[in-house]
Amino acid sequence: MDQNLYSFRISRWRQLLCALICVFSTAAFAAPKPSVMQVKYLSGRGNRTNVMWDFYCTGGRKSGYWTKIAVPSCWEQQGFGSYNYGRDYKTYGKNFRFADEQGIYKLKFDVPKAWADMDVYLVFEGSMTDTEVKLNGQSAGEKHQGAFYEFKYNINNKLKFGGSNLLEAKVSKMSSDASVNNAERLADYWVFGGIFRPVYLAAYPKQHISRLSVDAKANGEFRMQVYPANLKQAMQVVTQITDAKGKLVKSVTANLKAKDSVLNLTTKVDQPLLWTSETPNLYKVNVALKSGGRTVYQITEKFGFRTIEIRKGDGIYLNGVNIKMKGINRHSWWPETGRTLNDDIQLMDVKLMKEMNMNAVRMSHYPPDKKFLEVCDSLGLYVLDELAGWQKAYSTAAGKKLVKEMVLRDENHPSIIFWDNGNEGGTNKELDQYFTQYDFTKRPVIHPHHRPGNVFNGIDCNHYEDYYSTKSILADSNIYMPTEFLHAQDDGGGATALADFWDLHWKSKRSGGGFIWALVDEGIVRTDRNNIIDVNGVNAPDGVLGPHREKEGSFYAMREIYSPVHITMKDLPAGFNGSIPVENRFHFTDLNKCSFKWELIDYRKPNDADAGHIVKKNGTLKAPSIAPLASGDLQITLPADWKSYDALALSAYDPFQNLLYRWVWKNTNERLLNNIMTFAGKNTVQVTETDSTLQTKAGTISMTFSKKNGQIVAMTGNTGDNLSFTGGPMLVSGNATFKDIRHRTEADGELVEVSYTGDLKYARWKMFNSGWVSLDYEYSLPQGDYQYAGITFNYPENFVLGAKWLGRGPYRVWKNRLQGVVDDVWDNAYNNTQTGSAPWIFPEFKGYFANITWMELNTVEGKFVVAAKEPELYVRLFEFYGLSGIKPFPGLPGGNLSFLDAIPPEGTKLGLKIDPVTPKLGPTSELNHLGRTTKRTLYFYFGLLERAGKNQQNFTRPVKDELF
């Protein structure tokens, strides 16, 4: 044979052999067809990962031409269209100013060729409001009406697999269905347009499981419905239940026939770890659809074992335990992007609620993003999932489709314990049956309402009752769980009067707790107004958090009021031996699962560079076994010298090491004053008189009094510069008529005594050689009710740079919101924040501040310090308000720098901001019932306190001996 021919044949045989090997290898090792859902996002997944689509807006800004828009988004926040607040009908006299505003979207996208033999769905997680969709020129299905619900289309027969496809969507801001507009758009919140949640393709193997419905009870009973799709032959269903560590706890196998539409599966898990807000134990169920041993499809769901019961006339029970909702209402919100959020925002909001020691959240007034519910499952919050319907309801035709979409998306979340059918009149009772029809677990349905007489399923949810009507309702035979109470507009509501309200609810067996309105101020960054943050007047600033989650004073007050480690000890008692009474307000957790840390601390001084305190000694204590809802004592083993420190602090941590609350008990004011009064000089006090004035002077510090009214008319500090501290003392309540002014020399200084007729008896000013000035005063008010009591002065607010103080803080207080502030040295820079409007700078500088030992004001004229001999002094800083309105409420004392023994309560929105009505919020919301004589001593140092040095001397004796 010719050598070349032989070589050629050998080469061909080798090529053929290689080809055969490749074929068999490919057959042996080719990737199996996917057995899980495949996802291709056509949009971003949140407000930080947007995808640009072609866009045409029909009205308002940037309208009438094709451009680009980020998806998902609210188109107003991308500079398109016009802004609407749902209550525009109040302002503009008609319901919808921009009813014809539409957005037209286009996107070209590719679909993998491998998907040609799969079931492909186009999924919209949320689009506002009417949405019409086309694929490659063909309608994808019927127009979707309803803004907050996930909807999808099967688009198999409209796609070009392996090629380019065109998606078109026309979104109408307002619906052509009047009932949808009434339910969603005619509301007390911002109304947006656009595809505001993600859009994606979901591809399934032809034979797959479309969904699972899980019902897992606290006794371990597990029921599940498996919904197969497109089965062509009998198949096996293998179910595996695993715990949080991945350990298999149960395996069940069942068979499906080709024509089966649903498989009902039942089993039982022995002694499962139960899901509660305190113990959010999650399990997974993995369901595999198998044919001939091959997995055709598999799906996994998380779930929790728990049992919800409404025991009519008794209470709400979870896993056999009576529980109460410490809840709040939450909008899906971010200032820059409206209702388009991201996973970090979902997590942040849940963590903030847990930080407030809350255990529940109401989805007002529409279903949230899926991720939010997942976080509620994993961190532990009870959820009320709500069908929209602000104060008007969906029609039955429109609403039953939306109920189905909401329930089928959300039914497996253990966090969801109730379905809300609308809000405050937005309830179509014909829709109740559809919740039950679609929810395999048959969760209870409730009717949130703002009028009495709307009890449903044994629960009265009536909104905004006052303290006394709440007390009456709780004595009724129904369970009472207000789904809105204590409206938090401006600085009112929220935690205002909450301590009284919560005491009522906690002690009533038939209380289901309640939900405060609301979590955040809905301030939107207006792209049409140079990016200002707009809260639409008083309509939207309803939160205990600012738009970017700035923490307002009520945030911390709620944290204390709702703390499951409940401590009410106000001061360290005489003979304190380390024992602290405590109540366990957990529903499921023994206190021995918590941990506790104590600290002995010394406070920073006025002339220290820093605020705060120094921890001198610390330790832990063994948590006692105190059962849920029981009381006992914590025992701290303190060192023998514990009284030589400024304060004792105690911190409580939950079983996950999250701080529940930190309590601080100060040592006596006498000790704390001695700490600062050693910082001063020593000079001879001089007195100068004219016909109209009397002046005392120690070094460069001087005070000049008017002989006409006894008030301060001029002052210099220790730098020799003027200080504009004038005009007092004046009573803030009661009457005082100037009588005379006299002075006398004493061994350690000069005394100026001003006497009065009326309720103010005297004011005795003494300037010491050290430069310190004391003010002794006495007043006696007639028996009666007063907003405030004490004395006041004047200082120009615009001269103030900041304040540093030892007392409770850093937030201001009201008579009925004293919680959430602890004793420390705080340092606030001046700001003019009025709660509920931009800029949101917290803590607010101005307000009433509690339990002041000393306060140093930093001004453009220098510094000056005031200190209190007696405890429980309130300092009022300048001009501020609580609630806006025709007249801001409550009113303020005269002057603008006040030293008070009583401060006013705050009101709340919805007609309770008028003074005669505020007392209906409870005992602490009543005016101050006074009729007693009050004596108090204040100390002033007008200048910068410095440590003793070459030219200064310490006091040689304790302050209590020298000055007291």
Side-chain angles (χ1 to χ4, degrees):
M1 182 180 292
D2 183 87
Q3 185 65 35
N4 290 334
L5 180 61
Y6 176 78
S7 298
F8 173 76
R9 288 179 175 177
I10 291 295
S11 176
R12 292 296 301 271
W13 275 109
R14 285 175 177 168
Q15 291 175 5
L16 180 60
L17 181 61
C18 288
L20 289 172
I21 291 172
C22 288
V23 168
F24 286 115
S25 297
T26 302
F29 299 107
K33 292 182 179 179
S35 60
V36 296
M37 178 183 71
Q38 306 290 300
V39 173
K40 177 182 174 68
Y41 276 88
L42 303 181
S43 71
R45 301 185 68 171
N47 63 8
R48 293 187 303 207
T49 57
N50 297 313
V51 173
M52 303 306 293
W53 292 25
D54 294 322
F55 185 68
Y56 183 99
C57 189
T58 64
R61 296 168 300 146
K62 293 169 64 174
S63 62
Y65 59 92
W66 282 99
T67 182
K68 297 284 187 180
I69 193 171
V71 179
S73 69
C74 301
W75 69 54
E76 295 84 352
Q77 296 313 100
Q78 300 289 310
F80 296 95
S82 305
Y83 282 89
N84 285 94
Y85 197 84
R87 291 169 63 85
D88 277 349
Y89 63 92
K90 291 279 189 181
T91 306
Y92 300 101
K94 52 187 176 182
N95 290 355
F96 311 118
R97 288 188 292 155
F98 306 107
D100 60 343
E101 199 170 285
Q102 295 176 327
I104 302 170
Y105 296 80
K106 289 184 181 181
L107 177 71
K108 289 184 178 180
F109 63 94
D110 295 330
V111 178
K113 191 172 184 179
W115 283 12
D117 60 349
M118 301 181 77
D119 250 7
V120 183
Y121 288 84
L122 173 63
V123 182
F124 286 75
E125 291 192 0
S127 179
M128 296 181 286
T129 293
D130 285 3
T131 306
E132 301 170 72
V133 181
K134 290 183 179 181
L135 259 298
N136 296 321
Q138 302 178 65
S139 172
E142 70 175 358
K143 174 170 61 177
H144 186 268
Q145 296 180 303
F148 305 102
Y149 309 88
E150 181 176 291
F151 59 97
K152 61 185 178 181
Y153 303 101
N154 187 311
I155 55 174
N156 285 26
N157 60 354
K158 301 174 180 67
L159 287 175
K160 298 175 184 176
F161 294 98
S164 179
N165 295 268
L166 177 64
L167 168 62
E168 298 172 274
K170 182 169 74 173
V171 178
S172 299
K173 185 170 181 176
M174 301 299 175
S175 178
S176 60
D177 185 310
S179 78
V180 173
N181 281 332
N182 285 337
E184 298 180 3
R185 315 263 93 185
L186 193 64
D188 189 5
Y189 49 74
W190 290 101
V191 176
F192 296 107
I195 302 171
F196 73 106
R197 289 177 180 162
V199 181
Y200 59 90
L201 300 177
Y204 304 81
K206 284 292 184 182
Q207 299 184 92
H208 63 275
I209 297 168
S210 61
R211 64 184 175 92
L212 304 176
S213 295
V214 176
D215 183 18
K217 299 298 187 187
N219 63 2
E221 290 182 359
F222 177 90
R223 298 190 307 136
M224 181 172 65
Q225 290 183 325
V226 180
Y227 289 87
N230 306 320
L231 289 195
K232 297 177 182 177
Q233 74 272 357
M235 288 201 184
Q236 192 178 55
V237 175
V238 178
T239 299
Q240 293 184 322
I241 299 173
T242 58
D243 65 16
K245 296 180 180 179
K247 180 183 177 182
L248 180 66
V249 297
K250 203 74 176 182
S251 181
V252 182
T253 300
N255 295 313
L256 270 172
K257 299 175 184 177
K259 294 184 179 180
D260 285 347
S261 59
V262 64
L263 170 67
N264 286 285
L265 187 149
T266 303
T267 188
K268 188 167 186 178
V269 172
D270 294 332
Q271 296 182 324
L273 297 174
L274 302 185
W275 190 96
T276 74
S277 69
E278 298 167 25
T279 59
N281 297 303
L282 292 175
Y283 288 76
K284 285 183 180 179
V285 57
N286 183 76
V287 180
L289 193 62
K290 295 194 172 189
S291 176
R294 182 176 68 89
T295 299
V296 176
Y297 185 75
Q298 59 184 343
I299 182 173
T300 301
E301 284 276 4
K302 289 184 179 180
F303 70 96
F305 286 95
R306 51 101 178 100
T307 299
I308 306 155
E309 300 172 86
I310 297 175
R311 299 181 186 176
K312 293 185 179 180
D314 186 349
I316 298 167
Y317 284 77
L318 183 72
N319 306 337
V321 175
N322 184 270
I323 62 170
K324 302 186 192 305
M325 307 299 150
K326 298 182 291 184
I328 199 162
N329 288 264
R330 186 243 189 192
H331 273 293
S332 299
W333 188 260
W334 195 250
E336 283 74 17
T337 56
R339 306 212 185 278
T340 303
L341 308 182
N342 61 57
D343 289 355
D344 288 345
I345 294 171
Q346 317 290 356
L347 175 62
M348 175 173 54
D349 281 358
V350 174
K351 291 177 76 172
L352 285 165
M353 285 180 260
K354 297 288 285 188
E355 190 179 340
M356 282 189 280
N357 289 313
M358 292 182 167
N359 64 5
V361 60
R362 177 186 175 214
M363 305 289 65
S364 52
H365 295 289
Y366 41 80
D369 301 75
K370 290 187 289 190
K371 183 64 178 181
F372 182 80
L373 296 174
E374 292 171 8
V375 179
C376 290
D377 292 341
S378 62
L379 295 187
L381 278 180
Y382 305 126
V383 174
L384 277 56
D385 203 0
E386 185 157 302
L387 182 76
W390 181 62
Q391 288 188 345
K392 294 181 182 294
Y394 292 117
S395 67
T396 302
K400 66 182 181 180
K401 300 174 186 177
L402 302 177
V403 171
K404 180 179 180 180
E405 289 171 350
M406 180 175 80
V407 172
L408 294 189
R409 190 197 74 165
D410 295 347
E411 63 175 334
N412 291 329
H413 291 284
S415 56
I416 298 174
I417 60 170
F418 295 144
W419 303 114
D420 291 0
N421 184 357
N423 167 73
E424 295 187 350
T427 299
N428 177 350
K429 296 179 181 179
E430 293 180 4
L431 298 177
D432 288 331
Q433 61 182 310
Y434 297 105
F435 290 94
T436 305
Q437 176 181 332
Y438 294 116
D439 180 14
F440 182 50
T441 70
K442 311 302 180 191
R443 287 176 183 84
V445 178
I446 62 173
H447 293 170
H449 217 283
H450 63 328
R451 294 188 181 92
N454 284 277
V455 178
F456 187 70
N457 271 335
I459 297 183
D460 183 348
C461 296
N462 192 37
H463 294 175
Y464 302 112
E465 294 289 343
D466 64 39
Y467 176 87
Y468 298 99
S469 60
T470 295
K471 192 173 185 178
S472 176
I473 293 170
L474 288 171
D476 193 10
S477 59
N478 294 300
I479 300 164
Y480 182 44
M481 184 189 71
T483 39
E484 292 179 29
F485 77 119
L486 291 179
H487 197 296
Q489 178 186 300
D490 295 348
D491 199 28
T496 297
L498 178 61
D500 287 338
F501 272 80
W502 186 241
D503 189 61
L504 272 185
H505 280 281
W506 184 254
K507 292 177 180 177
S508 172
K509 182 175 177 56
R510 282 191 289 271
S511 167
F515 295 79
I516 288 168
W517 186 270
L519 184 65
V520 299
D521 293 324
E522 289 180 75
I524 191 71
V525 172
R526 290 289 296 260
T527 58
D528 62 341
R529 296 184 183 176
N530 201 29
N531 293 332
I532 66 164
I533 297 183
D534 181 13
V535 291
N536 202 252
V538 298
N539 281 323
D542 297 344
V544 299
L545 296 168
H548 288 107
R549 281 47 174 182
E550 299 89 343
K551 295 176 181 178
E552 300 178 10
S554 284
F555 177 93
Y556 293 99
M558 289 176 189
R559 189 177 195 181
E560 180 178 359
I561 294 166
Y562 283 147
S563 173
V565 177
H566 188 65
I567 295 173
T568 58
M569 186 174 74
K570 186 177 180 183
D571 300 300
L572 294 178
F576 178 66
N577 63 0
S579 181
I580 300 176
V582 62
E583 180 185 354
N584 182 355
R585 289 193 170 184
F586 282 107
H587 290 114
F588 300 94
T589 305
D590 192 295
L591 220 59
N592 62 12
K593 301 294 191 299
C594 297
S595 56
F596 297 86
K597 177 182 177 182
W598 61 265
E599 298 169 315
L600 291 171
I601 63 179
D602 280 347
Y603 292 119
R604 304 281 188 181
K605 309 300 188 295
N607 59 343
D608 287 341
D610 300 321
H613 59 269
I614 302 168
V615 177
K616 308 296 284 191
K617 292 185 178 180
N618 63 75
T620 59
L621 60 106
K622 184 178 180 180
S625 178
I626 301 176
L629 312 182
S631 297
D633 293 286
L634 300 174
Q635 185 64 48
I636 305 176
T637 303
L638 291 170
D641 66 344
W642 70 270
K643 291 184 179 180
S644 65
Y645 300 96
D646 289 349
L648 169 67
L650 176 70
S651 299
Y653 300 85
D654 72 10
F656 304 98
Q657 293 305 301
N658 298 307
L659 178 67
L660 295 170
Y661 199 71
R662 180 175 179 268
W663 298 264
V664 179
W665 295 279
K666 271 193 316 191
N667 209 323
T668 62
N669 269 25
E670 180 180 299
R671 167 188 163 76
L672 298 171
L673 286 179
N674 273 314
N675 288 341
I676 69 166
M677 288 188 171
T678 56
F679 303 137
K682 198 169 185 73
N683 300 277
T684 301
V685 181
Q686 300 175 342
V687 177
T688 303
E689 284 195 71
T690 69
D691 290 341
S692 59
T693 64
L694 188 156
Q695 183 190 70
T696 60
K697 186 175 183 181
T700 56
I701 299 174
S702 70
M703 297 177 65
T704 302
F705 299 90
S706 167
K707 288 185 174 181
K708 293 182 179 180
N709 58 18
Q711 294 182 5
I712 301 169
V713 292
M715 178 177 292
T716 58
N718 67 354
T719 62
D721 296 324
N722 290 333
L723 274 174
S724 303
F725 181 83
T726 59
M730 299 176 284
L731 279 181
V732 297
S733 295
N735 299 302
T737 302
F738 172 72
K739 186 176 181 182
D740 62 25
I741 182 170
R742 299 178 183 179
H743 81 89
R744 68 174 179 267
T745 301
E746 296 190 345
D748 52 357
E750 289 288 337
L751 179 73
V752 175
E753 180 170 1
V754 185
S755 58
Y756 304 86
T757 59
D759 301 320
L760 180 61
K761 305 307 178 186
Y762 59 81
R764 297 181 183 132
W765 294 91
K766 185 173 184 180
M767 181 170 284
F768 293 90
N769 300 331
S770 62
W772 278 93
V773 175
S774 68
L775 169 61
D776 294 307
Y777 58 96
E778 177 184 339
Y779 63 91
S780 183
L781 297 176
Q783 198 79 31
D785 292 340
Y786 299 88
Q787 282 207 47
Y788 23 69
I791 62 172
T792 192
F793 296 86
N794 290 312
Y795 189 81
E797 180 181 323
N798 59 317
F799 285 8
V800 178
L801 302 174
K804 185 177 183 179
W805 74 96
L806 171 53
R808 296 200 180 121
Y811 286 83
R812 68 188 187 189
V813 299
W814 302 94
K815 179 175 181 283
N816 52 0
R817 196 195 75 190
L818 296 174
Q819 299 78 19
V821 286
V822 295
D823 286 306
D824 208 339
V825 175
W826 304 101
D827 193 357
N828 284 355
Y830 177 86
N831 66 70
N832 195 30
T833 295
Q834 301 288 358
T835 309
S837 61
W840 280 263
I841 302 171
F842 293 104
E844 305 103 323
F845 177 79
K846 300 187 287 185
Y848 299 110
F849 294 87
N851 202 28
I852 302 300
T853 297
W854 56 259
M855 178 177 281
E856 178 185 68
L857 282 176
N858 183 14
T859 81
V860 296
E861 298 179 320
K863 294 184 176 184
F864 62 94
V865 176
V866 60
K869 175 182 176 181
E870 295 82 11
E872 302 301 329
L873 174 71
Y874 297 96
V875 174
R876 169 272 188 107
L877 293 180
F878 307 108
E879 305 298 322
F880 61 97
Y881 68 79
L883 283 169
S884 56
I886 298 173
K887 183 178 180 181
F889 177 83
L892 291 168
N896 65 1
L897 181 58
S898 310
F899 306 99
L900 306 173
D901 301 293
I903 61 172
E906 173 63 303
T908 184
K909 194 184 175 184
L910 304 174
L912 294 175
K913 57 190 174 186
I914 302 170
D915 185 38
V917 185
T918 301
K920 292 185 179 180
L921 293 176
T924 62
S925 298
E926 297 175 2
L927 294 177
N928 298 286
H929 308 305
L930 303 177
R932 62 176 185 265
T933 297
T934 300
K935 294 182 180 181
R936 187 177 278 283
T937 300
L938 301 179
Y939 298 95
F940 296 87
Y941 191 81
F942 297 102
L944 176 65
L945 283 174
E946 299 182 64
R947 294 186 182 275
K950 291 181 181 179
N951 301 318
Q952 294 179 310
Q953 296 177 354
N954 285 336
F955 288 114
T956 57
R957 299 191 303 276
V959 175
K960 65 178 180 180
D961 296 331
E962 175 117 9
L963 302 183
F964 294 3

